Amino acid sequence: MKTIPFIKMHGLGNDYVYIDCFLKTTAELIAKSDLADLARCVSDRHFGIGSDGLVLILQSKVADARMRIFNADGSEAEMCGNAIRCVAKYLYESDLCRDVHMEIETLAGIRALSLHVDNEKVDQVTVNMGKPVIQPDSIQSGMDPIGYTSVNMGNPHAVFFRDTIPQLPANTNIEFVHVRNKKELDVRVIERGSGETLACGTGACASAVAAIYHGLTEQTVTVHLPGGELTIRWDEGNQLVFMTGSATEVFRGTINLEDYEYQHAFSGTKK
């Protein structure tokens, strides 16, 4: 039987199914799997485990671990701020890396993390999200043009300080932001490949950077998301963004890969 263990974790409700590929047998099975198809299966909230996507925790030659992220639609993402905090929590609490300062490799590059540990459990994680790339406000053509700020945090984001939902190009993430005051933002995120999520780490960073860039807030901001709060600090001197937030384990279990194969063969969606 082709079974692999998994762990369900979330960062402010942004939930993923995590698979530990440090385990040799698991790594071998994953290497033979259609990862896009597996991500779609496990993410299904009616017929699967239910999540915003699938995350693989892998060995790395250049960091303490490597993270691969697949959205609910099977597409692979470069980076996820909420997921990387959960990966760090898992690495520490599973004794795969007992350093409170660790590095994790992603498609967007290596990210450095600092873990806040209480009674051997990871409570909060601060992530150096890297340097944001800001483009001048763009205007989407159409009957009702809407300006937005383009911020790349390792993956692309379009940040709107308005309420109207625009028509946007594919392969971007969209943030709608309300400025409460100089220290607080309300943010809702539509993530490419997953739809609206309860939280998005890179989206919170992009929103904070855009707000600071336009002089709407101070350089340290509390971002209120439907799933909770993140603290975002933009060190403009070094051009680095730091995100601090929680990581929570929900449950553990096993995936029977043969069941997923049968399910898709029966439904006609298996290629």
Side-chain angles (χ1 to χ4, degrees), residues 102-209:
M102 64 177 67
E103 293 185 336
I104 297 176
E105 179 186 0
T106 75
L107 286 180
I110 296 174
R111 295 292 183 260
L113 303 93
S114 297
L115 283 60
H116 310 269
V117 179
D118 184 21
N119 292 325
E120 296 300 304
K121 294 292 184 181
V122 176
D123 178 47
Q124 297 267 304
V125 180
T126 298
V127 186
N128 183 339
M129 298 289 286
K131 297 181 180 181
V133 178
I134 306 173
Q135 296 178 2
D137 281 13
S138 304
I139 298 296
Q140 177 66 25
S141 60
M143 294 295 291
D144 183 21
I146 301 173
Y148 63 92
T149 303
S150 175
V151 182
N152 193 301
M153 290 300 314
N155 54 359
H157 294 267
V159 182
F160 292 82
F161 293 96
R162 307 190 184 189
D163 296 325
T164 307
I165 298 177
Q167 295 295 322
L168 286 173
N171 297 321
T172 194
N173 301 282
I174 305 168
E175 285 75 40
F176 294 97
V177 182
H178 168 69
V179 180
R180 285 193 188 184
N181 51 57
K182 285 285 188 177
K183 296 183 178 181
E184 298 177 280
L185 298 175
D186 293 316
V187 178
R188 292 181 66 177
V189 184
I190 300 173
E191 288 195 61
R192 57 179 181 175
S194 294
E196 184 173 2
T197 56
L198 293 178
C200 175
T202 57
C205 291
S207 299
V209 166

Side-chain angles (χ1 to χ4, degrees), residues 14 21 27 30-32 42 59-61 64 110 115 123 130 134 137 150 167 176 190-191 226 230 234 240 247 252:
N14 189 196
C21 295
I30 285 295
K32 299 175 183 177
V42 301
Q59 295 187 42
S60 171
K61 295 180 180 179
D64 295 299
I110 296 174
L115 283 60
D123 178 47
I134 306 173
D137 281 13
S150 175
Q167 295 295 322
F176 294 97
I190 300 173
E191 288 195 61
L230 289 172
W234 184 16
L240 296 174
R252 301 187 184 209

Side-chain angles (χ1 to χ4, degrees), residues 82-107:
N82 290 319
I84 201 169
R85 296 199 312 276
C86 291
V87 170
K89 175 183 175 70
Y90 178 81
L91 290 170
Y92 185 87
E93 295 180 1
S94 299
D95 292 327
L96 293 173
C97 179
R98 291 293 287 182
D99 195 336
V100 294
H101 300 288
M102 64 177 67
E103 293 185 336
I104 297 176
E105 179 186 0
T106 75
L107 286 180

